[in-house]
Amino acid sequence: MASSVELRRRFADALVREGAITRPEVAEAFAAVPREAFVAGGFHGRDGTWVAPDAGGFLDAVYVNDVLVTKVVDGRATSSSSQPSLMAAMIEALDLSPGTQVLEVGAGTGYNAALMSAAGARVTTVDVQPDVVERAEAALATISSTVDLRLGDGYEGWAAGAPYDRVIVTVGVAGVSPLWLDQLVPGGFVLAPVRHAGHHPVLRAARAGDGTVHAAGVCPAGFMSAAGPLSAVYAGAHPLGSGPLSPPTVSRPARFDPPLDVFRYHDMWFALGVWDSRTTYAQPPDSAGNGGCALLDETPGGGATIWPDGAVRGSGPHAVAFAETASGLIDRWVALGRPAVPAWQAPMALDGDLSQPIWVPRDWRLPGAGPAVA
Ligand SMILES: C[S@@+](CC[C@H](N)C(=O)[O-])C[C@H]1O[C@@H](n2cnc3c(N)ncnc32)[C@H](O)[C@@H]1O
């Protein structure tokens, strides 16, 4: 049986080979920090099965490129150790140097904070759930970490540790807290998974010298949603997602052979979300439980699903119109050269709860291609 040291070395090497890690200090952090210490009470695998710490093969189950769910309330995951390749991509996007001051919102298990610390950052991390903080504290103590762990609503940031060079958010949010921007040094930025069309692509947000706030796409991602004002629903936002659509009555054929891989599919999904505010996540009736991109009709069960091979299926009383619209949006994405998430930029505006507002992207555009909203 391989030891933890061997497993995490292999794990780091595999993430490098896959291209998820490009920086040596990030590879060394993954090779140094024992992930099992942060899921010491066990976890749920993606398929829901419980993996107990004393189960045979526990270490092998820990060193996988997948999310490990550590807390479930009423059938809903409320804390986890995120997917390592996504953690790596986000840590790399922070562009850390030795001593970079980082605030993390969403401490969870504490593993991501420990990785950033091992990569040279000075890390403050905040989580809103007391039991989650207690467990992360115990985990961080086992590796003698210097991470500063705090209990609080991440909307507030953590003023006592400011100013920060970076704010990294590891929970899905509807927008960026103004307090994070206030707590940044000039030139600093926020990296956050911001709700868009039923999922949470990672955006980079920063305030310019003139006070305006701007966002740029970084990568597609999925995260659980934050508690509190960070998840405010605001006018004009995409629908939150839906259960199964009714059986389709209209089909438009596949057009991508091979089908788009998961990243390109999410690139297309992002663009559809920019152009049509009805875009979200939904479960097609014939998907064996796997959801995907859809345009939702106000009629329950109605709309159109858009598949990785470019096929479109329309359901409900306006099936034909929805299928036409969806096909037209795919044409538009293809005609523009299939832009990826990092190609998009947007000015941000304050919205959400008036007493605790958030900055949300407005008028996404492809630089050089003019305003993108139809
Ligand atoms: C996906 S987990 C974070 C993963 C974590 N960074 C790790 O390495 O394990 C999301 C965490 O965000 C926390 N969270 C949710 N809403 C929050 C809020 N408003 N402020 C701070 N933390 C929040 C949850 O309690 C949960 O532990």
Side-chain angles (χ1 to χ4, degrees):
M1 203 175 64
S3 69
S4 169
V5 174
E6 289 166 322
L7 283 171
R8 53 190 198 248
R9 178 81 260 169
R10 275 189 228 159
F11 187 52
D13 290 348
L15 290 169
V16 170
R17 272 196 310 278
E18 284 165 25
I21 297 179
T22 63
R23 297 169 70 125
E25 72 277 14
V26 179
E28 286 318 304
F30 273 89
V33 180
R35 195 183 192 196
E36 67 275 19
F38 295 87
V39 291
F43 57 86
H44 298 270
R46 191 181 281 273
D47 62 0
T49 51
W50 175 248
V51 184
D54 53 359
F58 180 72
L59 276 185
D60 292 313
V62 166
Y63 288 101
V64 292
N65 186 17
D66 212 345
V67 60
L68 310 179
V69 174
T70 48
K71 185 173 175 188
V72 175
V73 177
D74 297 334
R76 203 171 55 84
T78 60
S79 196
S80 66
S81 169
S82 307
Q83 183 167 21
S85 52
L86 180 54
M87 283 192 274
M90 290 181 73
I91 294 173
E92 294 225 339
L94 289 177
D95 192 20
L96 300 176
S97 333
T100 303
Q101 293 271 9
V102 177
L103 171 68
E104 181 190 44
V105 173
T109 63
Y111 179 52
N112 191 58
L115 288 171
M116 293 188 292
S117 175
R122 291 168 61 186
V123 182
T124 302
T125 184
V126 182
D127 203 286
V128 74
Q129 301 191 71
D131 59 327
V132 168
V133 168
E134 221 169 87
R135 280 199 297 275
E137 197 160 37
L140 289 164
T142 63
I143 62 158
S144 308
S145 171
T146 56
V147 166
D148 184 15
L149 172 65
R150 302 290 176 163
L151 172 65
D153 188 328
Y155 178 85
E156 304 293 331
W158 192 261
Y164 304 102
D165 301 297
R166 309 281 183 262
V167 176
I168 177 172
V169 183
T170 58
V171 63
V173 293
V176 165
S177 167
L179 297 164
W180 303 339
L181 297 168
D182 294 347
Q183 292 170 19
L184 278 173
V185 297
F189 64 85
V190 174
L191 196 67
V194 177
R195 197 164 65 211
H196 174 88
H199 53 122
H200 290 104
V202 176
L203 311 183
R204 174 184 161 134
R207 183 146 53 199
D210 63 1
T212 56
V213 179
H214 299 264
V218 173
C219 61
F223 274 90
M224 60 184 65
S225 291
L230 290 173
S231 279
V233 174
Y234 55 91
H238 299 91
L240 288 179
S242 124
L245 266 63
S246 47
T249 52
V250 175
S251 274
R252 296 282 179 268
R255 57 166 87 186
F256 303 127
D257 183 17
L260 302 174
D261 68 27
V262 64
F263 297 104
R264 300 300 284 144
Y265 180 50
H266 277 85
D267 288 337
M268 178 175 72
W269 189 337
F270 188 96
L272 266 59
V274 168
W275 294 321
D276 197 313
S277 63
R278 299 167 300 179
T279 311
T280 189
Y281 168 96
Q283 283 184 329
D286 43 1
S287 67
N290 292 320
C293 178
L295 300 187
L296 279 195
D297 193 348
E298 283 172 3
T299 315
T305 54
I306 298 104
W307 295 71
D309 62 6
V312 171
R313 299 201 182 114
S315 305
H318 310 112
V320 173
F322 269 85
E324 283 308 307
T325 303
S327 298
L329 294 175
I330 299 172
D331 290 342
R332 187 170 174 185
W333 183 67
V334 171
L336 281 168
R338 306 183 183 196
V341 170
W344 292 95
Q345 295 182 7
M348 299 183 94
L350 276 177
D351 213 318
D353 178 346
L354 282 182
S355 64
Q356 291 175 300
I358 48 177
W359 289 97
V360 302
R362 282 281 156 74
D363 301 338
W364 282 104
R365 58 198 68 201
L366 295 163
V373 176

